[in-house]
Amino acid sequence: MKALFSISWLVAAGLWSAILPTNAQVNVTQYHNHASRDGLYIDSAFTQSAAANLTRDLNFDGTIVGSVFAQPLYIEGGPSGAMIIAVTESNNVYALDAVDGTVIWQRNVGPPVPLTDLDCPPKFDPMGITGTPVVDLASRALFLDAMVTPDGGVTIKHYIISLNVDTGAINSGWPVDVEATAIYNGMHFTAAIQQQRPALAIVGNILYVGYGSMRDCGLYHGWLVGVQINNPASVTAWAAATAAGTYGGAIWGVGGIASDGNNPFVTTGNTFNTGGTWRGGEAVIRFQPGPIFSGNPSDYWAPTNWLQLDGGDQDLGASGPLLVDVPGATPSHLVVAMGKDEYAYLLNRDNLGGITAPVASAQESFSYIIQAGATYRTNQGTYVALRAAGDTLRTFRITATSPPGIAIGWSVSRTGCGSPFVTSTDGTNNMIVWVVGTEGDQRLHGYDGDTGAVVYGGGGANELMAGTHSYSTTGIVARGRIYVATDNKVYAFKLPGGTPTPTPTPTPTTTATPTPTPPPPTPTPTATTTPMPSAATADFNGDGHPDWVIRYAATGQTAIVYLNNNVVIGAAFGPTLAAGWALRGVADFNLDSHPDYALFAPNTFQTAIWYLSGPTLVGGAVGPILPSGWALVATADFNGDGHPDWVIRYAATGQTAIVYLNNNVVIGAAFGPPIPNGWSLAGVADFNGDGHPDYALFIPRTGQTVIGYLSGPTVIGAALGPTLPSGWALVATADFNGDGKPDYVLYRASTRQTAIVYMNNNVVIGAAFGPTLPAGWTLAAP
């Protein structure tokens, strides 16, 4: 993270968080590393600079047999040293040496079921071990579910199996035959029509295994089976949609069962033949140990449109529950649910609420959300990462507000995108979001957790993998390495410098405050062609209507175009910008009731203010030199002191920051939200009327606009605005029709046509063409 002038400002703004300790021993015992399913791995070796030089370890063998849809595990503390555990659809279980990838032990747990033996065949053949296993370190036991046919297809079984993680031997009392032991409300489990895809979990001393369908075929149910790990004869089960004639409610999200340490949580899919009565589908459910479902509204949540989701096969349970704590939010203990309906939901984990509106929701994709998400927290806030439509890696932020909300994060387009996972050196810093380009380029990719900037771009020819799967492939991190399990192969990637042991987290150091340089010389205005409507807007003639500052590109000449709404009523030349300087904002910095120019020199990072009286230049003052890579992009009063402040942006990552000013003197700074890759900050204005400036964002590739609502520098929400017609760009915001609501200024470069879109918050209420600019003049700020 780049420093802003002085680290002391960042400390005062609360941007350095507590340092998390690292553990002497590393183990990855379950899916996405933790019971919350956060997907976060803390490894002090994974600085962003080191991660940029990641390479595949060509000396790591990793050969296995079978298709892989489960995440690998990493286990230390045994007689053979560190091991990678991998499982395959051929029902092979492997323990590989974590350094060289050779086989320590291997066990086949039974003949897998060929596709031809299933009435409801899956999309892969054969079916064996699909869900990610879990390890209990205290007993050194590995638990998994395998689909087997012990008699050549006549009988199909789901066996829950426990192996000694150090030897591969089957532990006493196992396996558990699920069909023979799982009963709920008089209903028996039917192995041949149930798929075990979700990751297993251990909560307390109970192993939990979830089951769904094979492509919605057969009279299946969502099952959650609990087995006491020290007494496998004790089996408890729950099933969805058990009323006469009903079925469905699959538990099938790859992330599986999540836990807060006391209770297991699951998400369920669509149900059938319910007659409009909720039967456990399209829900987030919290179970008491067992599993026991109380039926109380505090222990489940379903959206009010659950029946509509049923009818559209839009499973809420397409992605497993993600448990997130957000300090400062009320409520702060949350569940994030995401599904095929394209929405993300925030729920109160302590009181789910029954069939009701969520704490917050937002559309986060334009197609199914199917894979597992990940969550992490930086100095910028709490993020959730997911695979959205069109192989897009997307993030959103959860606001620390009452209630919490969903705010815009960053997104990047990918060729293939597996379930994301995250690394950090200490739990807050050097955050990298990783994905595998599944069924696409089949490479690892790493992105800055705050901005989406590329950290690792996939490597070279040696870093190519094979046999990845879009619904399931994800990686794990341990001892300076990333491991990815694919069909017939486990790949290991290493950082430069070998395999590190976690080390203490470094203490941040300070950065010197830059010294301002002299101001630029005062220019002399020069005449050019007839001025007509730059993206800077302000009321220059005091009539209550915003006017335009336009710029003649060849000479830097500016002019003020006086407007009454969208009608030109006059014009006057303003000052000419010296070579190398750009106009980046207009506001009244010296509080004389006349708008002034905020200038920026990109080559030197110097800032300056030119004081104007109407269109006439009356003085100037130098501002601070920005740190390298940062640019001045907008002006507005963010702290409510009556003085305009600066929005600056770090070009390489999109990170923004607010620099608080009193005239031309810096009095503080705070990080603002990052602007996602491909988006531009087109304007800053108060769209929701709460007295705080908001960001108006625009993505030229699609024409989509978005308003990011802020309270000071903090994002508190977001809303989609209109999608602009092809060729038009959003270049400024101001209230043109006097209704107290900022409007959009549009510009079409190909014809130099302008337009005003009248807005009420994020809703379009009208539009009008403005004047067409003469050749050589531009409305868009440089």
Side-chain angles (χ1 to χ4, degrees), residues 465-507:
M465 295 178 282
T468 62
H469 297 283
S470 62
Y471 288 172
S472 58
T473 302
T474 189
I476 65 170
V477 179
R479 302 293 190 194
R481 292 190 170 203
I482 292 176
Y483 298 92
V484 179
T486 71
D487 293 352
N488 303 308
K489 182 78 170 178
V490 176
Y491 293 87
F493 296 80
K494 62 181 181 178
L495 296 174
T499 306
T501 299
T503 56
T505 304
T507 302

Side-chain angles (χ1 to χ4, degrees), residues 533-544:
S534 180
T537 60
D539 179 10
F540 281 85
N541 60 355
D543 66 353

Side-chain angles (χ1 to χ4, degrees), residues 108-375:
N108 183 275
V109 295
V113 180
L115 184 149
T116 54
D117 289 342
L118 294 170
D119 293 332
C120 304
K123 294 183 178 180
F124 45 88
D125 184 23
M127 178 172 283
I129 305 169
T130 307
T132 298
V134 63
V135 170
D136 176 55
L137 287 175
S139 61
R140 304 289 294 179
L142 169 70
F143 299 94
L144 57 93
D145 176 277
M147 199 174 195
V148 303
T149 176
D151 47 15
V154 177
T155 305
I156 295 174
K157 297 283 190 181
H158 272 287
Y159 283 147
I160 300 175
I161 301 170
S162 175
L163 304 179
N164 183 307
V165 77
D166 296 314
T167 66
I170 296 179
N171 288 319
S172 177
W174 303 83
V176 172
D177 183 339
V178 181
E179 186 164 315
T181 55
I183 304 171
Y184 179 72
N185 281 353
M187 179 173 291
H188 290 254
F189 183 93
T190 304
I193 61 172
Q194 302 284 167
Q195 183 180 18
Q196 202 294 299
R197 179 182 175 188
L200 283 63
I202 296 172
V203 187
N205 69 335
I206 301 176
L207 169 71
Y208 292 95
V209 187
Y211 298 86
S213 74
M214 298 181 195
R215 302 167 66 183
D216 277 356
C217 183
L219 300 179
Y220 69 91
H221 299 269
W223 283 87
L224 183 63
V225 176
V227 183
Q228 292 189 16
I229 61 177
N230 57 358
N231 180 20
S234 177
V235 177
T236 305
W238 172 88
T242 58
T246 64
Y247 65 101
I251 300 171
W252 65 278
V254 65
I257 298 94
S259 171
D260 59 3
N262 298 308
N263 304 95
F265 290 74
V266 303
T267 55
T268 60
N270 54 302
T271 48
F272 300 87
N273 301 335
T274 63
T277 301
W278 182 75
R279 300 292 185 182
E282 310 288 10
V284 176
I285 301 176
R286 176 177 63 185
F287 290 90
Q288 304 305 312
I292 303 297
F293 176 46
S294 71
N296 295 328
S298 61
D299 282 334
Y300 74 93
W301 175 82
T304 55
N305 66 336
W306 68 267
L307 187 60
Q308 178 183 343
L309 298 184
D310 269 1
D313 188 24
Q314 294 178 299
D315 294 21
L316 182 79
S319 183
L322 190 60
L323 307 192
V324 184
D325 291 338
V326 183
T330 304
S332 62
H333 299 159
L334 303 176
V335 178
V336 176
M338 300 177 287
K340 288 165 66 175
D341 68 343
E342 306 171 3
Y343 275 75
Y345 301 92
L346 303 185
L347 312 173
N348 182 352
R349 195 164 77 229
D350 300 325
N351 182 6
L352 291 172
I355 301 172
T356 188
V359 173
S361 65
Q363 187 176 17
E364 290 298 328
S365 180
F366 298 99
S367 185
Y368 294 164
I369 302 173
I370 292 180
Q371 300 154 316
T375 183

Side-chain angles (χ1 to χ4, degrees), residues 636-685:
D637 179 11
F638 282 85
N639 59 356
D641 65 353
H643 293 277
D645 307 309
W646 285 345
V647 181
I648 66 174
R649 183 178 186 226
Y650 189 57
T653 64
Q655 176 68 57
T656 66
I658 314 303
V659 179
Y660 300 117
L661 294 173
N662 186 326
N663 199 344
N664 67 317
V665 179
V666 177
I667 59 174
F671 284 118
I675 297 173
N677 183 43
W679 291 77
S680 63
L681 178 61
V684 179

